[in-house]
């Protein structure tokens, strides 16, 4: 098993972004309790709140044949985190799959902003149950309108050829400072953003490399890449579906922000409009979200008001456990 070693990839930054084409709804980092994160300029003072954990997020109530309901996440108005509705949709799909079949892929589209004060109704359709694979589609609705659609596929585990091309190239998480230490050493707006990140997600983070957000604050470009260790602060049930849902949640964290690092700006900055369009995750190996995973992220292309971002999740042994891809909208807008 390979130990984390070598140089750390550069990483960008991603305050609140918009989910759904041209609508002001955060996706990768959401104002989950009705408050936007600190913007690139003119950040608001941080207000400490305990972030909601994954266990509560994944508490779905059956509501009839192929239907489930997730309760409101807050009593304070705000837009829902895109990874949250993806995780809930995958859970609903998995609950209708034949026993023993595990999630191996999901593909989703963000349609409208989610509302954390409203319940989410999830309707699952059975597309196919084959000899080894099962396919489900899910529509997540709030206020009578679809906010997210998902297609998920499940497979009966089997043996097969194995290879892995990418390698983990990062320091061990114990070699990197906790998020609280990084925030304490940072200046105003960057510190507020880091405080906001800890407030919004019940995860531990260890960032590898310098913060390109510092370069953006200076008006300097940075590489369209970032990397960090993450783990849930609370354990999830020891079952593959729950763990895959945790990975689906984490897969949406900070990803779109890589696309703006070369342009010396950030999601949430004045003059920037950004939105998640679609999102995909391929689950390669069994994993626990409450143990350290390294998320290597990069933006491979941008043009025409869109960008493509990709991510790879490794465990501590260096196994590639999941691959992520996301297309987003990034536009200049009048100030």
């Amino acid at each position: 098993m390979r130990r984390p070693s070598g140089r750390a990839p550069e990483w960008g930054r991603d305050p609140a972004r918009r989910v759904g084409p041209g609508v002001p709804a955060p996706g990768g980092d959401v104002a989950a309790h009705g408050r936007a994160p600190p913007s690139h300029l003119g950040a608001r003072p941080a207000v400490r709140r305990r972030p909601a954990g994954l266990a509560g997020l994944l508490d779905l109530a059956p509501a009839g044949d192929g239907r489930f309901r997730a309760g409101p996440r807050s009593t304070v108005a705000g837009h829902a985190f895109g990874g949250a509705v993806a995780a809930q949709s995958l859970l609903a799909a998995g609950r209708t799959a034949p026993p023993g079949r595990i999630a191996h892929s999901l593909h989703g589209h963000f349609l409208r902003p989610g509302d954390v004060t409203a319940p989410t109704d999830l309707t699952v359709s059975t597309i196919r149950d084959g000899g080894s694979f099962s396919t489900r589609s899910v529509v997540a609705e709030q206020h009578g309108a679809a906010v997210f659609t998902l297609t998920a596929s499940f497979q009966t585990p089997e043996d097969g050829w194995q290879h892995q091309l990418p390698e983990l190239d990062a320091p061990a998480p114990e070699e990197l400072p906790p998020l609280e230490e990084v925030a304490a050493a940072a200046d105003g707006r960057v510190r507020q953003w880091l405080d906001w990140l800890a407030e919004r997600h019940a995860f531990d983070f260890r960032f590898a490399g310098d913060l390109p957000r510092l370069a953006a604050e200076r008006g300097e470009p940075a590489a369209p890449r970032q990397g960090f260790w993450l783990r849930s602060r609370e354990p999830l049930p020891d079952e593959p579906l729950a763990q895959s849902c945790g990975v689906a949640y984490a897969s949406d964290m900070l990803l779109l922000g890589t696309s703006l690092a070369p342009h010396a700006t950030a999601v949430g900055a004045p003059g920037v409009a950004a939105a998640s369009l679609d999102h995909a995750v391929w689950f390669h190996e069994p994993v626990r979200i409450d143990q350290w995973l390294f998320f290597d992220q990069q933006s491979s292309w941008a043009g025409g008001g869109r960008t493509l971002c990709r991510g790879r999740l490794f465990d501590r042994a260096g196994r590639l456990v999941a691959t992520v891809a996301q297309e987003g909208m990034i536009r200049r807008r009048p100030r």
Side-chain angles (χ1 to χ4, degrees):
M1 296 193 304
R2 187 175 182 275
R3 295 283 298 177
S5 62
R7 62 178 177 80
E10 298 181 48
W11 72 283
R13 58 269 179 264
D14 189 8
R17 82 170 185 270
R18 303 166 185 260
V19 169
V23 295
D29 289 283
V30 58
H33 296 281
R35 180 171 66 85
S39 63
H40 187 58
L41 296 174
R44 304 178 186 181
V47 176
R48 287 290 189 180
R49 291 188 182 131
R50 183 177 179 83
L54 290 176
L57 175 78
L58 300 179
D59 184 16
L60 301 185
D65 187 24
R67 293 183 291 120
F68 301 88
R69 169 165 281 201
R73 296 285 286 161
S74 176
T75 59
V76 181
H79 295 300
F81 173 54
V85 68
Q88 290 173 330
S89 298
L90 179 62
L91 180 61
R95 286 190 176 176
T96 72
R101 296 194 175 181
I102 61 175
H104 72 87
S105 70
L106 69 81
H107 297 74
H109 285 81
F110 298 100
L111 305 176
R112 293 180 176 87
D115 177 3
V116 294
T117 67
T120 303
D121 293 309
L122 303 139
T123 302
V124 183
S125 298
T126 297
I127 306 302
R128 182 177 184 270
D129 284 322
S132 300
F133 293 88
S134 294
T135 306
R136 300 291 186 267
S137 68
V138 183
V139 178
E141 294 182 298
Q142 290 185 323
H143 307 295
V147 297
F148 181 75
T149 61
L150 175 106
T151 302
S153 185
F154 302 82
Q155 180 191 13
T156 301
E158 61 182 81
D159 294 328
W161 290 299
Q162 292 183 328
H163 73 269
Q164 175 183 317
L165 182 60
E167 293 186 353
L168 173 62
D169 186 14
E174 293 81 8
E175 299 174 14
L176 300 169
L179 189 64
E180 295 77 10
E181 290 185 16
V182 177
D187 294 329
R189 285 185 290 265
V190 174
R191 180 172 184 171
Q192 290 176 5
W193 180 81
L194 293 167
D195 287 341
W196 173 87
L197 182 63
E199 174 190 327
R200 288 298 175 250
H201 301 293
F203 276 73
D204 292 324
F205 295 92
R206 301 286 189 276
F207 290 105
D210 295 331
L211 298 177
R213 171 166 286 275
L214 296 175
E217 288 290 325
R218 298 190 300 266
E220 299 172 358
R225 189 168 184 174
Q226 62 187 9
F228 54 92
W229 292 94
L230 61 85
R231 66 179 177 186
S232 172
R233 293 179 195 149
E234 66 171 337
L236 287 181
D238 190 17
E239 58 184 25
L241 180 58
Q243 298 296 329
S244 294
C245 290
V247 171
Y249 179 98
S251 71
D252 194 31
M253 288 181 180
L254 312 182
L255 190 58
L256 191 58
T258 59
S259 65
L260 290 170
H263 310 288
T265 189
V267 178
V272 174
S276 299
L277 299 175
D278 52 73
H279 190 80
V281 183
W282 294 267
F283 304 94
H284 306 314
E285 300 280 356
V287 67
R288 291 199 63 91
I289 194 63
D290 52 8
Q291 296 180 0
W292 287 115
L293 300 175
F294 187 78
F295 203 172
D296 182 22
Q297 302 178 338
Q298 64 178 322
S299 175
S300 57
W301 173 86
R306 291 176 293 114
T307 185
L308 182 64
C309 301
R310 298 181 298 172
R312 298 178 298 192
L313 281 155
F314 297 88
D315 66 10
R316 292 193 60 131
R319 295 186 311 158
L320 181 66
V321 298
T323 299
V324 182
Q326 184 177 92
E327 186 181 35
M329 180 197 77
I330 52 170
R331 290 174 176 165
R332 295 185 180 93
R333 62 181 177 187
R335 298 193 181 188

